[in-house]
Amino acid sequence: ETGVTQSPTHLIKTRGQQVTLRCSSQSGHNTVSWYQQALGQGPQFIFQYYREEENGRGNFPPRFSGLQFPNYSSELNVNALELDDSALYLCAARPSGKYNEQFFGPGTRLTVL
Amino acid sequence: GIQVEQSPPDLILQEGANSTLRCNFSDSVNNLQWFHQNPWGQLINLFYIPSGTKQNGRLSATTVATERYSLLYISSSQTTDSGVYFCAVASGSARQLTFGSGTQLTVLP
């Protein structure tokens, strides 16, 4: 049990639509990161939030955006969906007491048709 | 950015065999984690090991930070050990993890 949950489990969208994915973590998990995992590859870093501010971003376009809320929940928003956005989206939290170690949620599998 | 290479990419074992998975990285790290990804996609933390040696049951890991590699040992493998094993690292002030491409382990009964 990682203490990190994600919703929904699966999602199907069509090209051009917008999607919001959600992540919840335990109290004290004040850093949250989002990763995209395409089929057959390792996860790729999208961005990271610390105390509700984005403080790191990978090589993803601005149509990928996020929010972190005071209750330790987080959102990943993707606008103008493309077929290549089909992937497993993983949320990771870093507890304040564990400086570096990250714990992952079960993921949301997004399919774009 | 930092590069992470894992080997072998695929490994097939008979139940009861031992195995060693390797992770090479291109720069000094302040975080190294080994994960097992189950068939449903969940990344399960195995070890947080930026340096040194740790053991947890049939699994153990060693990271030699000065030589920029880490090894994951699986002894007496079981069919439930099947799945993809990832090594992920972070370096410098960056906290995001950079993942290797994984080792696909299949344990046959």
Side-chain angles (χ1 to χ4, degrees):
Chain A
E1 180 61 49
T2 65
V4 182
T5 59
Q6 293 186 242
S7 63
T9 306
H10 295 86
L11 201 51
I12 298 175
K13 292 285 189 178
T14 56
R15 195 169 47 184
Q17 286 189 308
Q18 179 267 343
V19 69
T20 298
L21 310 182
R22 293 180 173 83
C23 172
S24 293
S25 58
Q26 294 176 336
S27 173
H29 288 192
N30 51 18
T31 302
V32 65
S33 304
W34 285 89
Y35 293 80
Q36 180 196 66
Q37 186 178 17
L39 198 61
Q41 298 181 20
Q44 300 284 320
F45 173 72
I46 303 175
F47 47 58
Q48 175 176 281
Y49 278 79
Y50 173 69
R51 293 186 176 177
E52 303 165 47
E53 299 271 343
E54 184 182 300
N55 72 342
R57 189 175 186 92
N59 189 25
F60 281 81
R63 61 188 185 84
F64 285 78
S65 62
L67 287 171
Q68 186 186 24
F69 302 100
N71 65 353
Y72 303 103
S73 65
S74 173
E75 288 182 355
L76 165 64
N77 298 288
V78 187
N79 293 322
L81 284 167
E82 301 177 359
L83 298 179
D84 285 348
D85 295 334
S86 295
L88 179 68
Y89 288 84
L90 296 160
C91 167
R94 188 164 70 243
S96 57
K98 290 181 180 283
Y99 185 59
N100 282 325
E101 189 173 7
Q102 297 192 31
F103 296 85
F104 284 79
T108 294
R109 194 166 297 278
L110 172 65
T111 302
V112 182
L113 303 176
Chain B
I2 193 166
Q3 305 296 313
V4 183
E5 292 184 1
Q6 290 187 244
S7 59
D10 297 280
L11 187 57
I12 300 175
L13 302 173
Q14 287 294 138
E15 200 167 26
N18 303 327
S19 61
T20 300
L21 282 58
R22 187 176 178 103
C23 172
N24 292 333
F25 43 94
S26 61
D27 202 351
S28 58
V29 299
N30 51 32
N31 182 2
L32 189 147
Q33 293 184 243
W34 282 98
F35 297 94
H36 177 209
Q37 189 165 44
N38 67 22
W40 297 272
Q42 173 80 60
L43 283 169
I44 299 165
N45 290 44
L46 298 177
F47 294 102
Y48 167 70
I49 189 166
S51 64
T53 298
K54 291 185 178 179
Q55 180 157 7
N56 184 5
R58 296 182 295 104
L59 273 60
S60 63
T62 295
T63 297
V64 184
T66 53
E67 298 187 21
R68 300 181 183 169
Y69 73 88
S70 182
L71 302 174
L72 177 68
Y73 305 97
I74 305 174
S75 64
S76 303
S77 57
Q78 301 175 357
T79 56
T80 52
D81 294 332
S82 296
V84 183
Y85 289 80
F86 285 105
C87 167
V89 304
S91 65
S93 60
R95 295 288 179 256
Q96 66 266 26
L97 292 172
T98 299
F99 283 76
S101 53
T103 292
Q104 173 76 59
L105 175 65
T106 303
V107 182
L108 302 175

